[in-house]
Amino acid sequence: MQSAIVIIGVTLITFTALQMSGDPTYLYVSERATEAEIQRTREALGFDKSLPEQYINFLGNLARGDFGNSLSYKRPAIEAVMEALPATLELTLFAMFLAIVVAIPLGVLASLNRGSAVDGSIMTMGMLGQSIPSFWLGIMMIMFFGLQLRILPISGHVPFIMPLIQGDFVRAFTNLPQTLYYLIMPGFAVAFYSISRNARLVRSSMLEVLGQDFVRTARSKGISERAVVIRHALRNAWLPVVTMIGLEFGFLIGGVVVVEMVFSWPGIGRLVFNAINQRDIPVVQAAVVTLALVFIALNLIVDLVYARIDPRVKL
Amino acid sequence: MSVETAGRPVIVTRPMSHRRREFRRAIRSMVQAKWPVVAALILICVAIAAIFGPWISPLDPNRQDIMMRLADPLTEGRRNAFFLLGTDGLGRDVLSRLLYGARVSLLVGICAILVGGTIGVIAGLLAGYFGGWIDDVIMRLGDIQLAFPFILLAIMFLVILGPGVMNIIIVLGVGQWVTYARIVRAQTLSIREKEYVEAARALGDPTFLIIFRTILPNIIAPLTVIASFNVASVILSEASLSFLGLGVPPDVPTWGAMLADSRDQLMANKWWLAFFPGMAIVLTVLSFNILGDWLRDFLDPRLKTMA
């Protein structure tokens, strides 16, 4: 239900954005277009009709994935976006993986050693992580690990999802180690912000749970500290965390768009950047709507996970 | 007959006003926590750079000197020019551009918060005070916006509207209103039933006076916390958008655009081009975050454990 509202909202916003530019026709023609050409485009795209009619048309086109032709590639914008999507998905999913897998142990560690040097340094890192622009982190990593130490590749991409879609599983999995190797730097640059936020969240959530009666009971029953932390405390502590992580994906996707630029990652972010420079509106639109759908899908998955780990929630 | 009592002069102390006492308490708590003081000092420096940029910057930030392209930091140029932080690919002085860059960052950060805060506070007050369908519509709109990766919206609007400080402020400002609306609404809901609001109503104050003069002053405090975190994230967003070339026109130096330019020299290992603007962003954003953290602890010690 929420997703449906969001999708309608997104289309309304996209539509309004177009109308706000005055006559949207001018966004779809080159600067040297003649008056006749402009008129032809206006009619072809239906911009001469009334606003409600235009919106219905717009929705129809959207449902068919038709955003019009890219102005610079002379082919459907959605095609260009779909080609770039797998690379972006790889980066996004890897960054999410890092944001969860690195953040939870750090947060737990900090909460168990509250007030100690370990806690202090993890919290300091958390504070720093929320203040560093992801693209700058990427540039600095390229300079240090790529150009100075020469231990990580500064750009390049080995596809994993693409061969997977094409059904070439052998190639996909022989590629995988390389894929991950090339993902380390961009993935970390994107994820650092989320790692910091999530670690802080896990810590505060854990602190709250650790002070509760059932944890004391578990301890007094003589259960090992490890089991208390993992089975009793963490299971309850990560409910708010899962919700927040879902919202975090929005930031993460924003980071992906910018970081792709730094590493010349052949994904939607780089596509959008080039489209921005050429004022290629159909491509920007197709990319934004596609990323929004990815975001919605990911949030749906988070909701499902939430329902699974918290038996109180019913979908 | 004298009325001198106990022979001692009575020391008349002017009672310290409530406001002043609060201020002293704030300063004391700040000094105790140490880091907020450092953060405040950094922000004062940034503000000085932003306000007095034209007077304190050593050179014109757009002056190109082809002979001095990519000069290392601490290079001496012609005509008494001294490039403390080096020059960029067009021979422009990095330090001067850095000082000017503070302007856009602070301006956008603060103005966007004012725009978003104003919309959010009004929306939240209305939603909280009136409830009913007004509440539903406002909060539903907020849900929709929060469910959408904000930076994508900003990109789309800026591509269509074109670059410019004003456009960035509006887009980033509108992006922030929901946070304020939610908090103000929650606060308004609880304050609405308080006796003094009841009293104002009984005295026949018009509704808008009740909302803005009786309720609003009582919910300002938590907003300052949100605002300081928000300035930090808006400055980060502005840097990202400038980096993508969606910021202000190219002749206005910004930290994000400086980083974008530095990409051309990445392979040449001209580290100062990327290092200094990045540090400027990090220090500014970090300072706002630290101040926000401290402010939250100061205003509401109960929240101390929360991240």
Side-chain angles (χ1 to χ4, degrees):
Chain A
M1 186 52 210
Q2 187 72 18
S3 311
I5 298 176
V6 172
I7 290 171
I8 293 173
V10 170
T11 59
L12 255 178
I13 291 169
T14 323
F15 184 71
T16 319
L18 273 183
Q19 297 299 333
M20 268 169 68
S21 61
D23 188 345
T25 313
Y26 290 98
L27 298 173
Y28 287 88
V29 293
S30 76
E31 278 162 26
R32 291 182 301 275
T34 61
E35 198 51 48
E37 255 181 280
I38 293 174
Q39 188 56 34
R40 209 160 48 238
T41 318
R42 181 176 293 137
E43 277 162 26
L45 295 172
F47 288 137
D48 50 346
K49 303 216 176 70
S50 71
L51 279 184
E53 257 180 293
Q54 276 189 50
Y55 183 59
I56 301 288
N57 266 341
F58 178 77
L59 282 187
N61 288 340
L62 222 57
R64 279 179 279 116
D66 180 3
F67 293 88
N69 274 339
S70 155
L71 304 183
S72 37
Y73 303 110
K74 301 288 171 217
R75 63 185 181 130
I78 193 71
E79 264 181 42
V81 172
M82 281 303 150
E83 265 168 35
L85 183 60
T88 292
L89 277 183
E90 281 160 9
L91 183 52
T92 312
L93 293 175
F94 185 69
M96 272 172 197
F97 174 77
L98 285 180
I100 295 167
V101 170
V102 179
I104 290 180
L106 284 180
V108 171
L109 205 64
S111 73
L112 293 180
N113 301 292
R114 187 179 185 185
S116 71
V118 177
D119 183 22
S121 43
I122 291 176
M123 283 301 97
T124 308
M125 195 208 76
M127 195 56 149
L128 212 59
Q130 284 181 63
S131 311
I132 296 181
S134 53
F135 52 96
W136 186 63
L137 186 62
I139 293 175
M140 289 293 119
M141 281 164 71
I142 287 181
M143 283 182 169
F144 189 68
F145 297 108
L147 299 173
Q148 210 69 46
L149 300 182
R150 295 178 184 281
I151 49 172
L152 287 169
I154 60 167
S155 70
H157 161 246
V158 179
F160 170 69
I161 294 184
M162 199 57 154
L164 211 59
I165 298 170
Q166 288 163 347
D168 191 350
F169 297 110
V170 179
R171 195 159 79 90
F173 285 97
T174 45
N175 272 357
L176 190 57
Q178 280 294 310
T179 310
L180 292 177
Y181 181 57
Y182 280 93
L183 269 169
I184 294 175
M185 275 212 286
F188 195 75
V190 172
F192 195 51
Y193 183 89
S194 298
I195 292 175
S196 317
R197 271 180 78 115
N198 293 346
R200 282 170 72 110
L201 257 166
V202 171
R203 173 182 179 270
S204 66
S205 190
M206 276 295 281
L207 283 179
E208 211 161 284
V209 172
L210 283 173
Q212 278 175 17
D213 290 344
F214 68 87
V215 173
R216 212 178 46 210
T217 312
R219 281 210 178 109
S220 63
K221 279 198 302 189
I223 298 173
S224 74
E225 184 63 25
R226 202 188 140 96
V228 171
V229 170
I230 293 175
R231 278 226 301 275
H232 294 260
L234 194 56
R235 272 209 70 176
N236 285 284
W238 70 26
L239 296 178
V241 175
V242 172
T243 321
M244 277 306 292
I245 286 175
L247 289 173
E248 201 71 7
F249 291 162
F251 287 99
L252 215 133
I253 286 180
V256 168
V257 171
V258 193
V259 167
E260 278 186 8
M261 275 311 301
V262 176
F263 290 91
S264 308
W265 194 257
I268 294 184
R270 209 179 57 165
L271 189 74
V272 166
F273 180 78
N274 292 333
I276 288 171
N277 282 339
Q278 285 148 5
R279 292 189 58 75
D280 192 343
I281 304 290
V283 170
V284 175
Q285 245 188 4
V288 167
V289 173
T290 308
L291 284 180
L293 288 178
V294 169
F295 173 74
I296 290 168
L298 289 173
N299 264 313
L300 218 60
I301 295 172
V302 171
D303 283 348
L304 291 174
V305 171
Y306 196 95
R308 214 175 144 74
I309 60 175
D310 185 0
R312 284 166 301 188
V313 174
K314 287 215 172 66
L315 284 181
Chain B
M1 201 173 135
S2 74
V3 279
E4 269 168 306
T5 47
R8 241 194 291 163
V10 180
I11 300 166
V12 182
T13 46
R14 212 157 12 119
M16 222 197 296
S17 74
H18 176 67
R19 201 170 286 232
R20 250 185 65 202
R21 212 164 45 228
E22 273 294 287
F23 185 71
R24 288 220 174 149
R25 200 166 71 85
I27 296 293
R28 222 177 4 244
S29 128
M30 210 168 173
V31 172
Q32 216 167 30
K34 288 193 210 91
W35 283 112
V37 181
V38 180
L41 289 178
I42 291 174
L43 288 182
I44 290 172
C45 293
V46 176
I48 289 175
I51 299 168
F52 301 108
W55 291 280
I56 58 174
S57 79
L59 292 164
D60 177 355
N62 285 321
R63 193 191 78 148
Q64 302 181 6
D65 189 342
I66 298 302
M67 302 298 291
M68 294 303 294
R69 288 177 62 237
L70 298 172
D72 288 357
L74 302 175
T75 304
E76 229 167 300
R78 296 169 301 165
R79 274 179 270 131
N80 283 332
F82 180 69
F83 304 111
L84 184 66
L85 303 182
T87 62
D88 68 4
L90 296 172
R92 296 174 298 194
D93 181 36
V94 170
L95 175 62
S96 303
R97 294 180 72 71
L98 215 54
L99 291 171
Y100 267 83
R103 228 164 223 221
V104 176
S105 285
L106 270 198
L107 186 75
V108 169
I110 290 166
C111 292
I113 295 310
L114 289 179
V115 171
T118 310
I119 303 175
V121 167
I122 293 175
L125 282 169
L126 295 179
Y129 189 80
F130 291 111
W133 67 268
I134 298 181
D135 186 20
D136 279 343
V137 169
I138 291 177
M139 293 336 276
R140 224 31 63 200
L141 272 176
D143 286 348
I144 291 177
Q145 192 177 317
L146 277 194
F148 193 85
F150 165 70
I151 194 90
L152 297 179
L153 274 189
I155 289 175
M156 199 165 58
F157 271 91
L158 286 174
V159 168
I160 291 170
L161 295 176
V165 176
M166 210 51 205
N167 288 346
I168 286 221
I169 289 174
I170 292 172
V171 166
L172 291 180
V174 171
Q176 310 297 325
W177 75 271
V178 190
T179 326
Y180 295 91
R182 287 191 163 180
I183 286 170
V184 169
R185 173 180 174 273
Q187 298 269 328
T188 309
L189 278 177
S190 70
I191 284 184
R192 190 175 60 172
E193 311 300 336
K194 289 256 161 72
E195 284 86 356
Y196 56 84
V197 178
E198 193 87 18
R201 222 177 280 138
L203 285 172
D205 281 356
T207 309
F208 98 96
L209 261 190
I210 296 178
I211 293 179
F212 288 99
R213 259 211 351 236
T214 313
I215 296 181
L216 184 59
N218 285 298
I219 56 177
I220 286 291
L223 292 183
T224 56
V225 178
I226 307 294
S228 67
F229 285 127
N230 238 331
V231 173
S233 77
V234 166
I235 290 177
L236 276 184
S237 302
E238 187 270 329
S240 299
L241 291 171
S242 294
F243 183 72
L244 287 174
L246 282 171
V248 295
D251 57 315
V252 183
T254 65
W255 296 338
M258 287 172 78
L259 283 175
D261 291 342
S262 82
R263 285 183 56 249
D264 301 336
Q265 311 297 338
L266 192 57
M267 301 308 294
N269 220 349
K270 306 289 180 198
W271 58 272
W272 61 92
L273 294 181
F275 183 74
F276 294 122
M279 278 315 278
I281 299 174
V282 172
L283 285 178
T284 309
V285 172
L286 190 62
S287 300
F288 275 113
N289 277 332
I290 288 175
L291 275 186
D293 249 20
W294 164 76
L295 204 56
R296 184 190 46 206
D297 293 347
F298 174 71
L299 290 175
D300 192 353
R302 276 170 305 161
L303 295 175
K304 206 151 203 164
T305 50
M306 299 294 285

